[in-house]
Amino acid sequence: MRDALWMMLAVTLAAAAALAQDKVIAVTAERFKFTPAVIELKLGEPVVLELTTLDRKHGFQIPDLKIDESIEPGKVTRLRIVPDKAGTFPFHCDVFCGSGHEEMAGEIVVKP
Amino acid sequence: MNDPKGRREFLQLLGLGGVVFASGLAGACSKILRKSAGPEDDFFFVQLSDTHWGFKGPPNPEAANTLRQAVQAVNALPIQPDFVVFTGDLTHTTDDDAERRKRMREFKAIVADLKTPVRRYMPGEHDASLDQGKAFEEQFGATRYSFDHKGIHFAVIDNVSDPQAALGDKQLDWLHADLKPLPAEAPIVVFTHRPLFDLAPQWDWATKDGSKAIDLLQQWKNVTVFYGHIHQEHHFRTGAIAHHAARSLIFPLPAPLSQPKRAPVPWDPMHPRRGLGFREIGVDESRLVLTLKEDSLEGAPTAQPAAAIGSF
Ligand SMILES: [Cu+2]
């Protein structure tokens, strides 16, 4: 039990250390857009996306990467991404947020 | 129900994607289908979808008239269907709760002109996602329910009241309990708004826990799902289950992932109402053969001018 606790602590510290070094990109969500709508990443360079909302609850889904997060008012959703393949990965809001919700999308472009 | 011939025909139809297009004029199929009015005879029903009452914009400059036109087209069928089902997005979304209710009342008043007195409703995300189905329930009743009609069990399931497009375990339990008494061969028809399978999650053309519903439905051998949401005809199979999307009555959307954005197909003044239409579904005596016929609003006579809407 005590060992398990130490293990967990170690993992948490490692994660925090990784987060501390990673480049941070702030992404805001609002009806009906993301800013920036195009997020450029470099292959193999980990980043942390800090997702916040300016108005109501939105979603942040990247189906190709099996990522599905919520962005709640007053909270920061941190998402660590290690781009391991080049290409374009569309994301969109998957919390229906009104007339215009269908346009609320963007893409992550991973450059080699 | 166990008639081997009927069953064979059913499987043959499914081999073709579950679709048969009757050639000829609109309504020809219903004439063939319904020889007499006995309860054991074949019958048909009509699916209307995505009417988006309240929508305004260039993708449909006739939006104030299209729903009326659809009602008139259904009323013009030579034989009237047993019932009409609306598979969601009856109204276009609005942030204003009072306006949402007004649109729902207007919608109801327009479809009250259908000659068929039996209408079944379910919400789409435009009707229900901003208030978790509250206004819909007030105006139309439950967002999930089941009913039996002439030997077929119909289940309506709700993948829109949750703004994240999930059915939820509670509803899945309800569906299981609802279907449990039915034998494995029972003909079952499911109505829902979004596709239950992952048609195009990038475009929100999926149900988050739809695979759970499909796994559950897989226990029955004769399940057909009719849905809307994608504003175009689409046919797909998951195992033994056939899934059929209907066209919309407001504007068509492009084929799944055929272009970067899920933007409406632009209105074509040379071909007004192209891609808009509804569906007749014929059911044979065995209750296992479903025949789909797509009716287009393109070329249909222009609807009567809109009555004064302000009086609702
Ligand atoms: Cu949103």
Side-chain angles (χ1 to χ4, degrees), chain B residues 55-66:
Chain B
F55 173 84
K56 286 190 184 78
N60 186 343
E62 297 179 354
N65 240 342
T66 311

Side-chain angles (χ1 to χ4, degrees), chain A residues 31 57 63-64 68 70 92 94-96 98-99 102, chain B residues 92-93 95 125-126 129-130 163-164 201-202 208 262:
Chain A
R31 301 192 334 154
K57 182 178 175 179
D64 295 336
D68 187 1
S70 299
H92 67 277
D94 66 330
V95 177
F96 186 83
S99 188
E102 286 88 350
Chain B
H92 195 72
T93 195
D95 293 337
E125 80 280 8
H126 278 256
S129 280
L130 290 186
Q164 282 174 284
Q202 297 89 327
K208 217 143 266 192
R262 171 194 34 177

Side-chain angles (χ1 to χ4, degrees), chain B residues 179-257:
Chain B
L179 300 180
K180 214 171 177 178
L182 302 173
E185 296 76 28
I188 296 169
V189 169
V190 173
F191 294 130
T192 193
H193 182 65
R194 286 187 167 98
L196 293 178
F197 63 96
D198 278 354
L199 173 56
Q202 297 89 327
W203 284 9
D204 176 39
W205 290 359
T207 300
K208 217 143 266 192
D209 49 1
S211 63
K212 288 189 188 171
I214 288 173
D215 288 348
L216 173 62
L217 293 167
Q218 218 75 263
Q219 297 171 37
W220 285 268
K221 293 177 186 154
N222 296 299
V223 178
T224 309
V225 181
F226 292 99
Y227 67 101
H229 189 55
I230 68 165
H231 294 210
Q232 63 196 286
E233 196 190 333
H234 192 273
H235 309 282
F236 192 76
R237 294 196 63 182
T238 57
I241 305 172
H243 304 258
H244 305 289
R247 283 185 271 184
S248 102
L249 288 162
I250 194 69
F251 53 73
L253 286 167
L257 306 180

Side-chain angles (χ1 to χ4, degrees), chain A residues 30-32 56-59 93-97 101 104:
Chain A
E30 70 193 287
R31 301 192 334 154
F32 299 100
R56 69 189 302 286
K57 182 178 175 179
H58 294 281
C93 170
D94 66 330
V95 177
F96 186 83
C97 55
H101 163 74
M104 190 162 170

